[in-house]
């Protein structure tokens, strides 16, 4: 039984949305952020981030495949989820999920990755034997045309898709923010800033994730890390992080200054139950600390040795990820800890082995890395393999 | 012509989308419940399903059809606003089959106390007593002989309907 | 003006006919019910509520409400005159077993029965992703439990805490305004079992409904009017401290 303090409506004692629903906006955020990072190279022509272009796309895809799983597991009747596609309710933000997700998965990510890898796929299909070769043959969709002209067309279409992809990424994650921001019954959620905060924090976490994954893969492959690339990523992360932090603080200050009917209750919650996850982890550890490190890197970065710079980037990236996970936690869980009567509070303890417990959550958080590993096996994103395909043709 | 030759693979990809969309449309027409959208964005027949749930409280009109003497007693007394099942419990089953489902007579000390126990939190104009002081443990019906018309000196309660 | 239970009888002429169908084992064939003639709501009179919990028990029995969850519940407010906005509220087991006795008499006490507010602009049905919950043409907010995903978004969206996820069925569950009773000419289980007439089912479309005379001469309020849900649960004598 949960611990209740003060008065809660009797149906509010137990939380409806568990840690899985915390995971869901976190993972979708990584997708959106990773894609935005990829688009830097493609659309905004930032040459320095070229080494992570393909890796960022594959990361986005791996996390996108994982994204609906926590939602699906959380449903009381997962077998009925196709109803979202069959009879989507036009006034429901959640009903949009199915369509935005499919659009993003198929039209943006899969199509763009397919276009970008088509040359490699065709070459692999001609050179690889066995099951793997069959899969490559399937992926070519029967087209072996990799004439320069065909590839030029692919390139142009890919550019357009990336262009469409940027607003799509904003849409994908903005609507996740809207799911929370549009609930007028819940003052902790109800805010027009919510979608914007979600988008910018998503970009920070996605960029940090790709940066960390890039450094980790370099270590695993025993390849030198492209420091210029990491520096550039860190720079973009810094600027977006500043916007994200400013928006979050704006929201906070606005709430404190307006002090509406819910303020007393929410203020108490932030100073007690949410103190550690919100003030300590999200704001101090997960936002201010990485911002300070990134700031130092920006103003005096070149004074540090490359190794130190990489280390500082790793630390700030990891802290940013923790901070943004904490932000999702504080939104989703925090929004359910207080009574809508503003007279009481309940508590949330993560179960360990239930359907929505910690083990499942950790498994779902690790699953994208398995997907990513499989994707990398099939579609190597590395520069060298890009230029000299395996088993020379 | 050359353009089409070099972008043929794109059309194949697009064809997959079109086929997928057509399958979706076909499936949708087949799977969505027939009455969906009849009144609004929901299954129209859900209204019938929800309305078909059996009832458990018969409603006082039904009780009063047979138990006319109690109804008359009640209508003259203070308990006129209290419906039968508020004290006697859900008795649709008894109304359906009066001979085999026999309701249990409520214990006045428990039943009366539910409403009439004195507490500072009750509306002041509502009759309420400290049961222990008021009756000294004796059942309420010893003095208030007819709970259907609880003023003292009213005609005693009659038996159940025959 | 006092609407007694006997006035309510006038409201429900279909009862006797419907009962014949109930006896015949075919309660769904209630021939007298026409959706377009009804727009259901509820009138709750705070000064009449004695906190006996009869409504909560009757609702649980009638609707098989699982333990620990409530389609209706009763709250007891204690407001002291030096702190009007910070009431002390209790609702032990939803008021199902009554309330503890109070001796001291400082400040004021009153009971507030809560239930689905039957909002005409209901935030809960707005957010349902699949159309499993809806406002019926006669003004009840219902859940199609054979269609509900159990995503709990509606539970989050209800400002009044009236919804829950059924622990066995894993779908949203809530007050149906006893839709299976009111469509047969009966009143709701809570209204039927309220000993003081603190609750009254009202049909706003019926010009003969006593609610219209009541509204002419009484001030009524809805819960959380700032939510603008167009609630049809009208409270008479509601204190400003009630949330």
């Amino acid at each position: 039984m949960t611990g209740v303090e003060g008065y809660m409506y009797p149906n509010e004692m137990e939380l409806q949305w568990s840690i899985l629903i915390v995971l869901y906006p976190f993972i979708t955020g990584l997708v959106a952020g990773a894609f935005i990072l990829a688009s830097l190279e493609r659309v905004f022509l930032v040459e320095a981030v070229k080494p992570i272009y393909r890796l960022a796309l594959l990361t986005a895809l791996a996390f996108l495949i994982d994204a609906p799983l926590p939602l699906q597991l959380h449903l009381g009747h997962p077998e009925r989820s196709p109803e979202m596609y069959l009879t989507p309710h036009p006034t429901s933000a959640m009903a949009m999920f199915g369509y935005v997700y499919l659009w993003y998965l198929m039209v943006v990510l899969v199509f763009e990755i397919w276009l970008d890898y088509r040359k490699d796929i065709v070459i692999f299909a001609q050179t690889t034997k066995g099951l793997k070769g069959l899969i490559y043959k399937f992926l070519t969709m029967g087209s072996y045309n990799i004439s320069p002209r065909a590839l030029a067309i692919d390139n142009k279409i890919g550019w357009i898709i990336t262009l469409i992809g940027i607003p799509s990424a904003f849409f994908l994650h903005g609507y996740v923010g809207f799911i929370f921001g549009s609930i007028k019954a819940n003052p902790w959620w109800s805010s027009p800033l919510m979608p914007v905060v979600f988008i910018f924090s998503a970009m920070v976490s996605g960029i940090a994730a790709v940066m960390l994954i890039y450094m980790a893969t370099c270590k695993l492959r025993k390849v030198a890390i492209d420091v210029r690339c990491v520096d550039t990523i860190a720079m973009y992360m810094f600027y977006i992080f500043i916007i994200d932090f400013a928006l979050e603080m704006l929201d906070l200050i606005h709430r404190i200054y307006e002090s509406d009917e819910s303020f007393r209750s929410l203020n108490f919650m932030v100073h007690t139950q949410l103190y550690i996850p919100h003030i300590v982890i999200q704001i101090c550890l997960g936002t201010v600390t990485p911002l300070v490190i990134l700031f130092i890197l920006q103003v005096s970065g070149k004074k540090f040795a490359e190794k130190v710079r990489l280390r500082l980037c790793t630390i700030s990236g990891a802290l940013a990820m923790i901070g943004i996970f904490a932000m999702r936690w504080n939104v989703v869980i925090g929004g359910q800890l207080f009574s809508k009567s503003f007279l009481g509070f309940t508590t949330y303890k993560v179960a360990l082995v239930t359907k929505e417990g910690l083990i499942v959550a950790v498994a779902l958080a690790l699953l994208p890395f398995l997907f990513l590993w499989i994707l990398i096996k099939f579609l190597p994103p590395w520069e060298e393999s890009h230029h000299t395909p395996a088993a020379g043709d | 012509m050359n353009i089409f030759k070099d972008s043929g693979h794109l059309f194949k990809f697009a064809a997959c989308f079109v086929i997928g969309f057509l399958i979706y449309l076909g499936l949708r027409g087949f799977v969505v419940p027939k009455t969906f959208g009849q009144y609004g964005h929901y299954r129209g027949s859900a209204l019938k399903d929800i309305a078909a749930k059996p009832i458990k409280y018969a409603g006082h009109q039904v009780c009063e059809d047979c138990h006319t003497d109690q109804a008359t007693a009640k209508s003259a007394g203070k308990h006129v606003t209290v419906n039968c099942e508020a004290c006697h419990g859900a008795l649709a089953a008894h109304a359906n089959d009066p001979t085999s489902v026999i309701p249990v007579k409520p214990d006045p000390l428990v039943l009366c106390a539910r409403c009439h126990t004195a507490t500072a939190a009750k509306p002041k104009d509502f009759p309420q007593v400290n049961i222990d002081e008021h009756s000294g443990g004796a059942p309420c019906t010893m003095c208030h002989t007819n709970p259907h018309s609880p003023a003292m000196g009213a005609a005693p309660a009659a038996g159940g309907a025959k | 003006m006092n609407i007694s239970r006997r006035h309510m009888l006038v409201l429900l002429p279909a009862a006797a006919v419907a009962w014949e169908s109930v006896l015949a084992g075919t309660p769904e064939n209630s021939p007298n019910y026409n959706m377009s003639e009804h727009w259901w709501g509820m009138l709750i009179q705070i000064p009449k509520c004695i906190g006996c919990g009869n409504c909560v028990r009757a609702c649980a029995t009638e609707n098989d409400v699982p333990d620990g969850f409530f389609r209706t519940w009763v709250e007891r407010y204690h407001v002291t005159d030096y702190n009007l906005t910070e009431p002390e509220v209790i609702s032990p087991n939803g008021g199902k077993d009554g309330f503890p006795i109070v001796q001291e008499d400082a400040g004021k006490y009153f009971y507030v029965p809560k239930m689905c507010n039957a909002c005409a602009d209901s935030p809960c049905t707005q957010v349902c992703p699949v159309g499993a919950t809806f406002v019926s043409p006669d003004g009840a907010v219902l859940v199609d439990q054979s269609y509900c995903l159990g995503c709990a978004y509606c539970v989050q969206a209800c400002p009044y805490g009236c919804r829950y996820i059924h622990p066995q069925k894993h779908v949203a569950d809530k007050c149906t305004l006893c839709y299976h009773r009111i469509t047969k000419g009966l009143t709701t289980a809570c209204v039927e079992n309220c000993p003081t007439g603190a609750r009254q089912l009202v049909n706003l479309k019926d010009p003969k409904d006593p609610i219209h005379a009541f509204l002419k001469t009484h001030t009524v309020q809805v819960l959380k009017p700032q939510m603008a849900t167009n609630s049809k649960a009208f409270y008479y004598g509601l204190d400003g401290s009630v949330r």
Side-chain angles (χ1 to χ4, degrees):
Chain A
M1 190 62 208
T2 46
V4 174
E5 195 181 321
Y7 176 69
M8 297 208 83
Y9 296 135
N11 293 329
E12 284 181 325
M13 311 287 183
E14 275 168 53
L15 271 68
Q16 300 298 332
W17 287 352
S18 66
I19 188 170
L20 294 190
I21 306 296
V22 177
L23 211 54
Y24 155 69
F26 182 66
I27 289 174
T28 355
L30 296 179
V31 177
F35 185 83
I36 299 284
L37 184 57
S39 72
L40 275 181
E41 194 267 341
R42 193 78 192 245
V43 177
F44 300 104
L45 306 172
V46 181
E47 271 301 306
V49 298
K50 199 161 183 134
I52 50 88
Y53 170 68
R54 285 182 153 191
L55 184 65
L57 282 183
L58 294 186
T59 306
L61 182 59
F63 280 95
L64 194 65
I65 297 169
D66 187 58
L69 298 180
L71 282 187
Q72 191 71 17
L73 264 183
H74 159 265
L75 288 180
H77 284 270
E79 79 282 2
R80 292 179 189 168
S81 60
E83 289 169 5
M84 282 233 217
Y85 287 107
L86 298 170
T87 58
H89 193 199
T91 64
S92 169
M94 202 182 268
M96 288 300 294
F97 175 79
Y99 289 97
V100 175
Y101 178 83
L102 259 196
W103 165 265
Y104 200 78
L105 178 74
M106 298 312 295
V107 178
V108 178
L109 271 181
V110 170
F111 191 38
E112 179 165 346
I113 290 172
W114 185 69
L115 285 176
D116 199 66
Y117 273 99
R118 222 172 58 78
K119 187 180 160 201
D120 306 40
I121 290 171
V122 169
I123 293 168
F124 287 144
Q126 287 163 342
T127 54
T128 319
K129 300 244 157 9
L131 183 66
K132 212 173 166 186
L134 271 180
I135 292 171
Y136 283 125
K137 285 198 175 69
F138 175 74
L139 287 176
T140 62
M141 304 183 88
S143 270
Y144 289 83
N145 182 358
I146 47 171
S147 66
R149 208 193 152 99
L151 290 180
I153 292 173
D154 286 356
N155 197 36
K156 194 163 257 173
I157 301 283
W159 185 83
I160 294 170
I161 291 296
T162 317
L163 208 59
I164 297 170
I166 296 168
S168 299
F170 273 63
F171 196 48
L172 175 74
H173 206 62
Y175 108 89
V176 178
F178 190 78
I179 284 185
F180 296 98
S182 62
I183 296 299
K184 66 178 167 189
N186 190 319
W188 185 244
W189 291 345
S190 175
S191 159
L193 275 183
M194 197 62 101
V196 193
V197 171
F198 262 62
I199 287 168
F200 280 94
S201 56
M203 282 158 70
V204 174
S205 66
I207 291 172
V210 175
M211 184 177 78
L212 294 176
I213 290 172
Y214 170 64
M215 290 196 269
T217 50
C218 287
K219 280 257 183 287
L220 287 174
R221 293 167 58 231
K222 302 197 177 25
V223 176
I225 297 172
D226 183 339
V227 184
R228 195 170 75 101
C229 172
V230 174
D231 278 345
T232 313
I233 297 175
M235 181 185 76
Y236 281 103
M237 192 168 119
F238 175 65
Y239 291 138
I240 295 166
F241 216 163
I242 286 180
I243 301 175
D244 174 45
F245 185 55
L247 287 170
E248 275 181 44
M249 287 303 108
L250 184 63
D251 186 54
L252 200 65
I253 291 164
H254 185 81
R255 281 169 189 277
I256 294 169
Y257 195 80
E258 268 198 346
S259 292
D260 68 5
E261 54 163 359
S262 64
F263 179 70
R264 212 199 285 231
S265 184
L266 299 181
N267 190 43
F268 181 81
M269 178 177 80
V270 170
H271 283 89
T272 50
Q273 280 201 65
L274 276 195
Y275 187 77
I276 299 285
H278 194 269
I279 306 283
V280 178
I281 299 180
Q282 183 189 331
I283 295 180
C284 295
L285 189 72
T287 307
V288 176
T289 316
L291 264 179
V292 169
I293 298 175
L294 288 170
F295 176 73
I296 293 169
L297 277 174
Q298 294 312 305
V299 290
S300 58
K302 300 290 179 285
K303 286 186 194 141
F304 295 112
E306 287 195 341
K307 208 167 182 182
V308 180
R309 259 149 67 197
L310 288 179
R311 204 153 281 170
L312 287 175
C313 283
T314 312
I315 293 169
S316 52
L319 287 178
M321 299 270 295
I322 292 170
I324 283 156
F325 182 81
M327 181 258 180
R328 311 292 191 234
W329 173 279
N330 293 326
V331 169
V332 176
I333 302 297
Q336 302 174 80
L337 291 179
F338 64 92
S339 169
K340 286 174 189 154
S341 68
F342 308 135
L343 292 169
F345 305 90
T346 188
T347 47
Y348 175 58
K349 274 223 158 62
V350 187
L352 196 63
V353 282
T354 56
K355 192 182 81 166
E356 299 184 44
L358 191 62
I359 291 177
V360 175
V362 170
L364 284 174
L366 293 178
L367 202 56
F369 294 99
L370 176 69
F371 294 150
L372 184 61
W373 182 76
I374 295 170
L375 282 172
I376 288 175
K377 280 278 158 226
F378 271 91
L379 304 168
W382 326 119
E383 287 278 312
E384 51 269 44
S385 58
H386 186 29
H387 295 308
T388 53
D393 188 66
Chain B
M1 196 60 223
N2 222 355
I3 285 277
F4 283 113
K5 198 186 132 224
D6 285 329
S7 56
H9 55 285
L10 296 176
F11 289 104
K12 281 186 186 164
F13 201 91
C16 290
F17 278 84
V18 174
I19 291 167
F21 187 68
L22 289 177
I23 291 174
Y24 159 76
L25 278 186
L27 209 64
R28 192 174 181 278
F30 187 67
V31 176
V32 172
K34 289 287 157 292
T35 59
F36 203 98
Q38 187 181 0
Y39 303 110
H41 191 82
Y42 55 93
R43 205 167 56 88
S45 50
L47 288 169
K48 264 216 171 78
D49 294 353
I50 295 165
K53 187 179 156 65
I55 62 169
K56 293 190 182 152
Y57 285 92
H60 60 284
Q61 299 94 331
V62 176
C63 311
E64 286 160 3
D65 277 353
C66 303
H67 302 272
T68 43
D69 40 355
Q70 275 84 352
T72 315
K74 206 162 72 67
S75 66
K78 281 260 193 180
H79 278 170
V80 62
T81 62
V82 186
N83 287 333
C84 315
E85 287 160 305
C87 297
H88 293 280
L91 286 171
H94 167 69
N96 271 330
D97 187 358
T99 46
S100 54
V101 182
I102 307 293
V104 183
K105 213 174 199 176
D107 174 5
L109 265 180
V110 176
L111 183 72
C112 305
R114 254 189 219 158
C115 294
H116 292 290
T117 302
T119 160
K122 262 180 199 158
K124 299 290 167 282
D125 56 354
F126 184 78
Q128 45 194 310
V129 295
N130 183 325
I131 306 274
D132 293 339
E133 277 175 24
H134 184 76
S135 79
C140 313
T141 42
M142 204 165 86
C143 303
H144 304 275
T145 42
N146 186 351
H148 294 118
S149 179
M152 293 211 282
K162 291 284 157 336
Chain C
M1 176 68 213
N2 174 35
I3 311 177
S4 77
R5 307 307 304 248
R6 307 169 80 196
H7 285 101
M8 301 301 293
L9 273 176
V10 183
L11 239 189
L12 305 160
V17 185
W19 186 249
E20 282 165 15
S21 329
V22 176
L23 285 177
T26 54
E28 63 278 12
N29 302 334
S30 35
N32 291 4
Y33 190 74
N34 186 346
M35 269 198 290
S36 61
E37 288 169 3
H38 298 83
W39 189 240
W40 295 111
M42 190 66 86
L43 173 64
I44 297 169
Q45 301 188 48
I46 303 281
K48 283 190 178 180
C49 183
I50 57 167
C52 65
N54 241 12
C55 49
V56 186
R57 290 186 292 272
C59 175
T61 305
E62 178 73 32
N63 297 298
D64 305 306
V65 180
D67 272 346
F69 297 91
F70 301 89
R71 291 186 178 199
T72 183
W73 68 97
V74 181
E75 298 167 352
R76 187 175 78 192
Y77 274 68
H78 181 204
V79 188
T80 47
D81 43 10
Y82 50 83
N83 199 352
L84 288 170
T85 54
E86 286 285 288
E88 183 196 310
V89 186
I90 59 165
S91 182
N93 197 18
K96 205 178 194 176
D97 317 312
F99 288 83
I101 292 174
V102 178
Q103 305 292 352
E104 45 95 33
D105 208 4
K108 67 177 165 189
Y109 287 90
F110 53 89
Y111 297 95
V112 184
K114 294 270 185 88
M115 59 183 291
C116 171
N117 287 227
C119 310
D121 299 323
S122 51
C124 55
T125 60
Q126 183 188 23
V127 301
C128 176
V130 298
T133 183
F134 51 90
V135 182
S136 70
D138 39 0
V141 179
L142 302 173
V143 178
D144 181 354
Q145 297 198 328
S146 66
Y147 209 68
C148 173
L149 301 173
C151 72
Y153 200 16
C154 56
V155 184
Q156 306 284 10
C158 173
Y160 313 100
C162 296
R163 287 172 171 253
Y164 53 89
I165 295 294
H166 194 289
Q168 282 90 43
K169 296 180 189 165
H170 308 294
V171 291
D173 201 28
K174 68 178 290 294
C175 164
T176 61
L177 219 58
C178 281
Y179 199 70
H180 60 298
R181 296 176 62 86
I182 61 177
T183 51
K184 288 163 202 158
L186 295 165
T187 190
T188 67
C190 56
V191 169
E192 176 70 32
N193 287 284
C194 177
T196 63
R199 294 176 181 241
Q200 280 150 9
L201 179 70
V202 298
N203 175 9
L204 295 163
K205 268 195 186 167
D206 179 2
K208 289 199 297 264
D209 193 305
I211 182 69
H212 301 295
F214 187 90
L215 291 176
K216 259 184 197 163
T217 50
H218 294 71
T219 50
V220 292
Q221 181 59 285
V222 293
L223 295 175
K224 299 192 181 180
Q226 73 275 19
M227 287 293 155
T229 59
N230 223 336
S231 155
K232 290 188 269 100
F234 305 108
Y235 282 83
Y236 168 64
L238 190 74
D239 192 79
S241 61
V242 176
R243 286 93 189 268

